[in-house]
Amino acid sequence: MNVTVFGATGAIGSLTVAELLNRGHTVTAYARNAAKVPSSWGDRVRVVIGEMSDADAIDTAVAGADAVVSALGPSMDRKATGLPLVEGTRHILDAMKRHGVTRYIGHATPAVLDPQEKPTAVTRLIGFMPRTFMRRAYDEIHGMTGPVMASDLDWTIVRFIAPKDTPKTSSPGGSGLRVGFFGTDKLGFAISRSDIATFTAAQVDDTTYIRRAPAISN
């Protein structure tokens, strides 16, 4: 499949691009800074450079895609201002509609609930902390995911709490990865960024979690 990845040069995004390539997909990577594009991509990845406010560049990146992956996440810098990823996600959704792309995979935390979940102690805690101490980031992640979950897209939102730079533990569904929903499944806190990338890449052509927001942990 042809997959467009936003946030492609970030810690999780770059790993996701590698996983998609390993799975035989063709990848278009959208990046803000050309200097951060890994040389290892060579000519295997089509790269589009632009800001998240650049609707035309985003449209170019989405054109021809079978699926869109957003590995974007709010800045944790307390000096950051505005909600650029909310605007950027709106441009992505507009471009998907224009080009007839229906599959979307994004990232969030359990501060965003799955449509069939009820709040638990964990989801309340994960919502309370950023809402109280990092309100801008909290507003951004909700502003990014809300329009996606309210759309008629075939979306999947992959949720996680504490990403770590630890080795990949397993393939999706393997013993090293827990996947489920709060209140019904046993989930941990820490998760390898490599495992996030592996699970995210697998969703491109997996229909198990369409219109669901599974949480993953090690």
Side-chain angles (χ1 to χ4, degrees):
M1 297 174 68
N2 294 322
V3 185
T4 297
V5 180
F6 290 88
T9 58
I12 297 172
S14 59
L15 292 169
T16 303
V17 170
E19 289 287 344
L20 289 165
L21 292 172
N22 288 340
R23 294 173 69 90
H25 298 299
T26 299
V27 177
T28 293
Y30 192 86
R32 293 176 56 205
N33 187 346
K36 292 186 177 181
V37 174
S39 59
S40 60
W41 287 357
D43 59 2
R44 296 186 302 157
V45 177
R46 172 184 173 234
V47 177
V48 177
I49 302 297
E51 298 289 335
M52 293 310 299
S53 59
D54 191 337
D56 290 339
I58 289 173
D59 187 86
T60 297
V62 171
D66 298 306
V68 166
V69 171
S70 173
L72 297 166
S75 170
M76 296 296 106
D77 185 349
R78 293 181 181 275
K79 296 180 181 179
T81 59
L83 304 173
L85 301 187
V86 176
E87 177 188 9
T89 300
R90 185 167 60 248
H91 291 321
I92 293 169
L93 298 183
D94 289 345
M96 291 178 69
K97 185 174 182 179
R98 279 192 297 272
H99 294 287
V101 185
T102 60
R103 188 70 175 113
Y104 178 100
I105 301 98
H107 290 163
T109 73
V112 174
L113 293 179
D114 174 82
Q116 298 180 38
E117 270 180 343
K118 294 181 179 179
T120 68
V122 171
T123 63
R124 289 190 181 98
L125 174 65
I126 299 303
F128 170 79
M129 296 299 287
R131 188 171 63 247
T132 304
F133 300 107
M134 301 196 76
R135 185 65 195 219
R136 193 205 64 80
Y138 176 87
D139 288 344
E140 191 157 51
I141 203 161
H142 272 273
M144 293 166 63
T145 55
V148 172
M149 296 173 75
S151 74
D152 58 1
L153 294 173
D154 293 329
W155 55 263
T156 299
I157 302 297
V158 181
R159 299 177 299 159
F160 45 87
I161 298 174
K164 306 291 184 182
D165 288 326
T166 50
K168 180 166 63 175
T169 60
S170 71
S171 59
S175 60
L177 191 66
R178 295 177 179 177
V179 183
F181 301 91
F182 292 95
T184 56
D185 298 295
K186 185 176 181 180
L187 295 159
F189 281 77
I191 177 73
S192 160
R193 287 186 172 87
S194 293
D195 282 331
I196 297 170
T198 299
F199 186 82
T200 299
Q203 301 315 300
V204 166
D205 49 11
D206 187 340
T207 61
T208 303
Y209 296 109
I210 284 182
R211 302 188 68 78
R212 297 300 305 272
I216 60 175
S217 74
N218 291 133

